[in-house]
Amino acid sequence: MDARRTPPNVVPRARLAALVLALVVFVACGAPDEPPGRTVEGPDPAVPAAPFASGGALPLPPEPSAVSEPEPEGPAPADLEPGQGHELASIAMRNFVYIAPDYQSTRLGYLRAGAIVPRAAEPAGFKRCKGGFYRIHPRGYVCVGTGATLDTKHPVALAAVRGPRRGEPFPYHYVVSRSPPPHLYVHLPTPEEQRTVEGRPLGARGMNDWIVQEIGRTIGDADPISPFLESGRDLPKPAGAEEKVRFHAHRGRAKARSAFGLMASFDWTGRRFGLTTELDLVPIDRTRPAHLSELRGVVFKAPGMPAFVMHQGLRALRPDEEGKLRPAEYVPFRSGWVLTGRASSGGTHRVEGKPGEAPAAYLETTEGVWLAASSLRIGRLGQDLWGHAKRGKRWIDISIELQMLVAYEGTNPVFATLVSTGRGGLSDPETTGATVQGTFFVQSKHVTATMDGDPASEAAFELHDVPYVQYFHQNYAIHGAYWHDEFGKARSNGCVNVSPADAAWLFEFTDPPVPAAWHGAMTPAGGTLVYVHP
């Protein structure tokens, strides 16, 4: 399916059955003027939609529960363990892994260009695959051909110097294009090539001090120039990566209002160049580095109710030896807390304030401090859906009114954070940018995925490598956002935006699990339950 076509909107349940067979594209989770838009690397069309019920730097989470899925055919070869046998390299942006050595079998996930995984010594079959299907670690089969090779020294494998830093809030460093957008170089350009292509680049007199400082704060030190780039060879294009034009030194300009994930960056001719995941080089002084949100959700260490500080300059209270609440430290804006359920407006826990002030209600946290209730956004514990909680399974509760997500192990909340759902609020997602409501299951997960808006709009974004994407219904997803830091407010046009750190935590919490070297996984049976409601 072509995710770039104009998708239909979500339909009411009464009309859904009649239109399922005609549905050929997916719902967008972004508006033309607000990222993210339609996904280029969206849900796999081979994975059916989840059941739909209308209305209805953190510590790593524990290992996700197993998903009931068929195992790949045949016993695993002994040489599949890393370092014990042969290897296979992915040379495509999305190289699918199949449950059996057959293109018509179920897709388990995919590898990204540059990924190298252990493989069996001999192919398991050649059905519609001249190079043969090879069993890979930890499961599944990959066809050697356009998307994969047995040559781990292939130019794509050598040029892709680093995979995503999975588990970190930013799996790549991110930059957003300035106006005009940067050129996409095919090799480290000489000063003469830069002058010819860009006219008078900033690097001609060295980078300005403020640019150097900005790069240092956000991207850090430069990487050593890779042997591939040092050789002077042009960067190859992985299969599936778009290349509209090609000149001697560049591939034209990036699209306006675009953003990139950078695998590495290099100091060259007085400038810093970033290597994108599609193997282009962009001059970083023609971009704006993205800043990492400081928002971190709260991990539950004891039972209680989640709450977040929504006022600046809030001061915590601590009881003294006599039990009186005294002003203590200031607490950060949007910091997360777990409430014990105890409240006080005087009595034993009397607040020492100014004479004549009306007593305020204070709530106790599991950390031993008391916070003013009027400065908190307090969560609501979710309901037991489909007997999911009773069976001890993991599930996610998302409140549109509270702009809050709570993750559960059975009936116990284990994590909570602020989110940004669709700007349409509780209105109809068919006619607005609201987030769809209902009960769903995670269908596919991607370490990163590219999202864009309406290609016919001049205001459309093209956002490469949006981090930690989890699709739960058509093109609706939970994912990290690096282009804004307004979590706690409705901001997206349908998707559920979370801070990158929280997205990384949730990615490891939910099913289906994504093997370490893979870039994505999908499950027709459905993974972790997601309940979206007012």
Side-chain angles (χ1 to χ4, degrees):
M1 297 182 184
D2 183 2
R4 293 180 180 271
R5 299 178 190 170
T6 302
N9 289 316
V10 177
V11 296
R13 183 170 57 176
R15 296 170 51 202
L16 184 62
L19 295 181
V20 163
L21 295 178
L23 186 63
V24 295
V25 289
F26 294 101
V27 170
C29 72
D33 61 345
E34 179 67 28
R38 289 167 297 167
T39 54
V40 177
E41 298 177 293
D44 179 51
V47 178
F52 177 80
S54 178
L58 291 167
L60 288 178
E63 290 295 321
S65 55
V67 179
S68 178
E69 291 215 3
E71 290 295 320
E73 294 180 358
D79 57 355
L80 278 187
E81 290 300 318
Q84 300 300 312
H86 305 278
E87 292 180 318
L88 174 149
S90 175
I91 54 176
M93 293 303 293
R94 184 180 273 198
N95 187 22
F96 286 107
V97 180
Y98 295 87
I99 197 171
D102 185 347
Y103 279 120
Q104 294 182 332
S105 65
T106 301
R107 292 173 176 175
L108 298 174
Y110 67 96
L111 308 176
R112 197 71 170 303
I116 297 177
V117 295
R119 64 167 174 88
E122 301 296 331
F126 294 87
K127 189 175 182 180
R128 288 184 285 273
C129 176
K130 291 183 179 181
F133 278 95
Y134 285 80
R135 182 78 176 261
I136 68 165
H137 179 80
R139 59 183 179 273
Y141 298 85
V142 168
C143 173
V144 168
T146 303
T149 177
L150 303 183
D151 178 14
T152 57
K153 303 298 183 182
H154 186 280
V156 170
L158 294 178
V161 296
R162 182 185 297 130
R165 294 175 287 268
R166 182 167 160 185
E168 295 187 19
F170 275 177
Y172 302 106
H173 294 299
Y174 291 97
V175 294
V176 181
S177 65
R178 297 185 185 273
S179 182
H183 286 84
L184 305 173
Y185 285 102
V186 299
H187 54 246
L188 288 172
T190 66
E192 180 60 32
E193 287 174 330
Q194 295 176 53
R195 284 191 291 270
T196 301
V197 172
E198 300 180 55
R200 292 178 59 84
L202 297 179
R205 297 182 301 277
M207 288 188 293
N208 293 339
D209 289 343
W210 70 269
I211 296 177
V212 174
Q213 294 172 3
E214 181 78 353
I215 291 173
R217 285 195 301 268
T218 56
I219 296 178
D221 296 334
D223 297 286
I225 295 177
S226 68
F228 185 93
L229 290 175
E230 203 167 28
S231 71
R233 287 184 287 174
D234 283 358
L235 289 163
K237 265 296 179 185
E242 186 178 25
E243 184 178 33
K244 290 186 177 180
V245 296
R246 176 65 178 269
F247 300 100
H248 169 68
H250 66 97
R251 296 184 173 106
R253 287 188 186 274
K255 291 183 179 179
R257 296 161 67 86
S258 57
F260 304 94
L262 304 180
M263 291 189 283
S265 65
F266 314 100
D267 282 338
W268 177 254
T269 64
R271 304 175 83 181
R272 183 74 71 87
F273 286 84
L275 178 64
T276 74
T277 58
E278 293 192 0
L279 301 185
D280 294 306
L281 286 164
V282 296
I284 295 179
D285 53 56
R286 301 295 190 186
T287 69
R288 174 176 53 82
H291 290 263
L292 179 64
S293 171
E294 295 182 357
L295 176 63
R296 301 292 187 276
V298 58
V299 176
F300 285 64
K301 299 177 182 178
M305 187 78 70
F308 289 85
V309 175
M310 302 309 293
H311 290 164
Q312 300 277 5
L314 176 64
R315 199 163 187 176
L317 302 178
R318 290 183 180 273
D320 60 15
E321 295 179 354
E322 298 178 357
K324 296 180 180 179
L325 297 180
R326 305 282 187 179
E329 71 271 20
Y330 289 97
V331 294
F333 173 62
R334 295 191 309 189
S335 58
W337 302 82
V338 178
L339 305 179
T340 65
R342 296 181 63 199
S344 175
S345 59
T348 304
H349 295 292
R350 184 163 53 87
V351 179
E352 296 294 311
K354 295 180 181 179
E357 282 188 340
Y362 290 85
L363 304 177
E364 185 187 41
T365 72
T366 56
E367 301 296 325
V369 303
W370 294 69
L371 302 174
S374 59
S375 296
L376 299 178
R377 182 177 299 176
I378 302 171
R380 298 188 293 260
L381 294 184
Q383 304 172 3
D384 182 11
L385 299 167
W386 297 11
H388 220 67
K390 289 181 179 178
R391 296 196 297 273
K393 292 187 176 183
R394 294 182 174 184
W395 56 289
I396 290 174
D397 179 278
I398 299 170
S399 169
I400 294 175
E401 290 180 339
L402 293 177
Q403 293 293 294
M404 191 179 298
L405 176 152
V406 182
Y408 290 83
E409 290 264 15
T411 58
N412 299 317
V414 295
F415 176 82
T417 191
L418 296 172
V419 302
S420 289
T421 62
R423 291 178 297 174
L426 298 176
S427 57
D428 185 357
E430 186 175 348
T431 57
T432 70
T435 299
V436 64
Q437 296 182 50
T439 304
F440 315 97
F441 294 91
V442 174
Q443 293 293 298
S444 66
K445 292 168 57 177
H446 311 257
V447 177
T448 65
T450 296
M451 298 182 173
D452 69 359
D454 183 357
S457 170
E458 294 182 356
F461 276 81
E462 182 172 80
L463 302 172
H464 293 266
D465 293 299
V466 173
Y468 305 114
V469 180
Q470 304 190 57
Y471 289 100
F472 58 85
H473 179 67
Q474 297 181 356
N475 263 27
Y476 290 93
I478 301 169
H479 62 75
Y482 56 78
W483 52 90
H484 79 83
D485 191 7
E486 297 187 29
F487 308 104
K489 301 178 182 177
R491 164 73 189 248
S492 81
N493 202 49
C495 280
V496 180
N497 292 181
V498 295
S499 76
D502 294 338
W505 193 96
L506 290 166
F507 195 82
E508 303 302 331
F509 175 80
T510 59
D511 286 330
V514 180
W518 296 21
H519 205 77
M522 53 272 301
T523 171
T528 299
L529 183 148
V530 177
Y531 177 44
V532 186
H533 61 91

